[in-house]
Amino acid sequence: MENTENELGVKFPDSFRKKMMKSNGGGVEVSTDYFEIHPFYDTSDKNRIKRTCNSILHETKIAREHYQLPENLIVIGNNGGGDVLVYKTEKEGSINNAVYWLDHETEELVLAAKDFGELNQSV
């Protein structure tokens, strides 16, 4: 987690950090849609490397390079249909607790929850 935060120059909100320390991934429901949460990259063994290759850092870099994702957004999940779940960063690298969903068709940023802990979690 710390490596990703250092690389992106941010510190994730406590509710997100706590959830990721327990499961490092999983999924959440946003409205009527399901978003898979990207894990933090884990190099502790071969299986964890394979399981975490779609990490938050990797997915954010890909979205910025290939899909013109704004630099102030960090991808934390996707719905498999092109929409992504994101955090917004502020100028000094802080992240507001609010979680957004970026609609790939309209490019509209929609508030998903005021805090990650408010989202219905599923495994």
Side-chain angles (χ1 to χ4, degrees), residues 38-78:
H38 298 302
F40 287 106
Y41 191 58
D42 185 345
T43 60
S44 59
D45 65 48
K46 286 182 183 181
N47 288 333
R48 289 178 194 239
I49 289 172
K50 288 178 187 176
R51 189 179 84 73
T52 63
C53 65
N54 66 328
S55 70
I56 290 169
L57 183 59
H58 173 77
E59 295 297 326
T60 298
K61 285 182 175 183
I62 294 296
R64 287 177 178 171
E65 291 170 11
H66 299 289
Y67 304 105
Q68 291 75 45
L69 181 78
E71 290 290 320
N72 71 325
L73 299 180
I74 296 173
V75 177
I76 61 168
N78 74 66

Side-chain angles (χ1 to χ4, degrees), residues 17-111:
R17 291 173 62 85
K18 286 176 187 173
K19 189 265 189 239
M20 296 301 277
M21 283 195 261
K22 286 182 182 177
S23 63
N24 196 23
V28 295
E29 294 176 19
V30 177
S31 297
T32 60
D33 213 347
Y34 173 81
F35 284 80
E36 181 179 322
I37 302 301
H38 298 302
F40 287 106
Y41 191 58
D42 185 345
T43 60
S44 59
D45 65 48
K46 286 182 183 181
N47 288 333
R48 289 178 194 239
I49 289 172
K50 288 178 187 176
R51 189 179 84 73
T52 63
C53 65
N54 66 328
S55 70
I56 290 169
L57 183 59
H58 173 77
E59 295 297 326
T60 298
K61 285 182 175 183
I62 294 296
R64 287 177 178 171
E65 291 170 11
H66 299 289
Y67 304 105
Q68 291 75 45
L69 181 78
E71 290 290 320
N72 71 325
L73 299 180
I74 296 173
V75 177
I76 61 168
N78 74 66
N79 69 352
D83 298 338
V84 291
L85 208 56
V86 298
Y87 272 120
K88 274 174 62 173
T89 62
E90 304 299 325
K91 291 180 184 174
E92 60 285 337
S94 64
I95 296 178
N96 184 300
N97 287 346
V99 179
Y100 299 89
W101 129 58
L102 181 62
D103 184 307
H104 77 284
E105 291 178 0
T106 64
E107 297 184 7
E108 181 182 4
L109 199 58
V110 179
L111 180 67

